């Protein structure tokens, strides 16, 4: 039975936190509490690819790690994949053409155009052949739908071969509609509903970021299978505030 992150994404509901602090101990700690994966964020953090690789090493194989790159870029995608991550999140996909290009940069020939080198993903050369033979099948390629242009092309984007999941970014989506931050607005929710309906019809696992457990339960009930639940910084802030309130009575 295939137990890769990509295979589990097709058959399970997976929950993981977003990590934005470049500290291996954070990944080590969060990999031990039962999350299904760790999301290492290079888009909205000061981290670079070297930091991401250290976080993956900090997780120690206890938990799958995926990396969100900062942009739809061949160079960023190639460098992120060479860390040995289990999946990659590519933000701001706005068209089927961008989706096809992103997938091609993630896959080795003949399916795609990913460059090859002996990096950590390949055991620094020790298991190069084995990694290259399995990577196209096992890597989870996750595209973010976070612009109204993507919603308007959702059916075409869903036809892109090689995509493991589409992940809705509600904040940027609302901004692209002139409603920044108004996640509950009926037009934003209608756009998200279009993605849900199209994803379900195509059998595509869908993901969503949520801030708390109650919101996660609601997202799962709507059909989302990949939940990004909070961030390392939000957990730190919440615990610190709660402790200080309790101490001050």
């Amino acid at each position: 039975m295939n137990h890769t992150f990509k295979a589990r994404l097709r058959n399970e509901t997976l929950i993981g936190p977003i990590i934005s602090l470049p500290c291996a101990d954070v990944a080590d700690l969060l990999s031990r509490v039962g999350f299904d994966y760790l999301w290492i964020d290079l888009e909205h953090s000061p981290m670079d690819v070297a930091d991401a690789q250290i976080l993956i090493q900090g997780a120690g194989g206890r938990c799958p790690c995926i990396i969100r790159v900062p942009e739809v870029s061949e160079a960023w995608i190639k460098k992120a994949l060479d860390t040995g991550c289990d999946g990659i999140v590519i933000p701001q996909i706005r068209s089927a053409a961008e989706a096809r290009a992103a997938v091609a940069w993630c896959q080795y020939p003949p399916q795609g155009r990913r460059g090859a080198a002996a990096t950590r993903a390949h055991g620094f050369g020790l298991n190069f052949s084995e990694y290259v033979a399995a990577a196209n099948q096992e890597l989870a390629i996750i595209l973010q739908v976070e612009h109204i242009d993507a919603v308007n092309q959702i059916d075409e984007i869903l036809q892109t071969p090689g995509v493991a999941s589409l992940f809705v970014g509600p904040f940027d989506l609302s901004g692209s509609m002139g409603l920044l931050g108004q996640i509950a607005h009926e037009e934003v929710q209608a756009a998200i509903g279009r993605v849900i309906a199209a994803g379900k019809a195509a059998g595509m696992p869908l993901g969503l970021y949520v801030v708390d457990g109650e919101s996660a339960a609601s997202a799962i009930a709507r059909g989302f299978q990949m939940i990004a639940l909070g961030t390392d910084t939000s957990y730190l802030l919440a615990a610190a505030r709660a402790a200080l309130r309790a101490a001050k009575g």
Side-chain angles (χ1 to χ4, degrees), residues 79-177:
K79 289 170 71 69
L81 295 181
D82 281 347
T83 65
C85 57
D86 298 279
I88 187 164
V89 182
I90 303 172
Q92 292 292 343
I93 295 294
R94 297 176 61 171
S95 68
E98 283 189 349
R100 290 192 297 270
V103 171
W105 292 329
C106 291
Q107 295 187 328
Y108 288 117
Q111 289 94 333
R113 304 195 303 271
R114 179 180 173 184
T119 64
R120 182 181 182 274
H122 315 80
F124 302 101
L126 294 175
N127 63 337
F128 180 87
S129 297
E130 295 90 335
Y131 177 83
V132 170
N136 286 359
Q137 182 65 29
E138 296 184 354
L139 177 71
I141 303 171
I142 300 156
L143 306 183
Q144 282 204 259
V145 176
E146 50 185 348
H147 195 282
I148 192 61
D149 289 351
V151 176
N152 290 334
Q153 285 201 42
I154 192 64
D155 291 324
E156 294 82 359
I157 291 172
L158 281 164
Q159 294 173 19
T160 307
V163 177
S165 175
L166 295 184
F167 193 95
V168 177
F171 287 95
D172 283 345
L173 175 59
S174 68
S176 75
M177 300 173 68

Side-chain angles (χ1 to χ4, degrees), residues 23-242:
C23 175
D25 286 343
V26 171
D28 189 342
L29 187 155
L30 291 174
S31 73
R32 298 175 184 271
V33 299
F35 284 118
D36 297 299
Y37 70 94
L38 303 181
W39 170 313
I40 299 170
D41 191 24
L42 304 188
E43 184 186 19
H44 292 295
S45 82
M47 292 194 292
D48 58 23
V49 174
D51 295 313
Q53 181 165 302
I54 290 171
L55 291 178
I56 293 171
Q57 291 166 327
R62 289 177 295 274
C63 192
C65 294
I66 64 175
I67 296 176
R68 176 164 67 176
V69 293
E71 62 184 10
V72 189
S73 157
E74 181 177 8
W76 274 109
I77 289 170
K78 178 167 51 180
K79 289 170 71 69
L81 295 181
D82 281 347
T83 65
C85 57
D86 298 279
I88 187 164
V89 182
I90 303 172
Q92 292 292 343
I93 295 294
R94 297 176 61 171
S95 68
E98 283 189 349
R100 290 192 297 270
V103 171
W105 292 329
C106 291
Q107 295 187 328
Y108 288 117
Q111 289 94 333
R113 304 195 303 271
R114 179 180 173 184
T119 64
R120 182 181 182 274
H122 315 80
F124 302 101
L126 294 175
N127 63 337
F128 180 87
S129 297
E130 295 90 335
Y131 177 83
V132 170
N136 286 359
Q137 182 65 29
E138 296 184 354
L139 177 71
I141 303 171
I142 300 156
L143 306 183
Q144 282 204 259
V145 176
E146 50 185 348
H147 195 282
I148 192 61
D149 289 351
V151 176
N152 290 334
Q153 285 201 42
I154 192 64
D155 291 324
E156 294 82 359
I157 291 172
L158 281 164
Q159 294 173 19
T160 307
V163 177
S165 175
L166 295 184
F167 193 95
V168 177
F171 287 95
D172 283 345
L173 175 59
S174 68
S176 75
M177 300 173 68
L179 299 164
L180 182 60
Q182 299 181 53
I183 307 303
H185 193 284
E186 61 181 9
E187 292 182 23
V188 178
Q189 287 300 310
I192 294 174
R194 287 172 61 188
V195 177
I196 294 172
K200 286 182 177 179
M204 175 67 71
L206 300 174
L208 185 71
Y209 170 74
V210 297
V211 297
D212 54 37
E214 182 177 332
S215 300
S218 175
I220 293 168
R222 293 180 72 185
F224 289 99
Q225 291 175 241
M226 180 183 170
I227 306 297
L229 177 58
T231 67
D232 50 2
T233 52
S234 69
Y235 293 136
L236 183 61
L237 280 170
R241 283 175 166 173

Side-chain angles (χ1 to χ4, degrees), residues 237-238 240-249:
L237 280 170
R241 283 175 166 173
L244 186 58
R245 281 197 301 268
K248 290 186 172 183

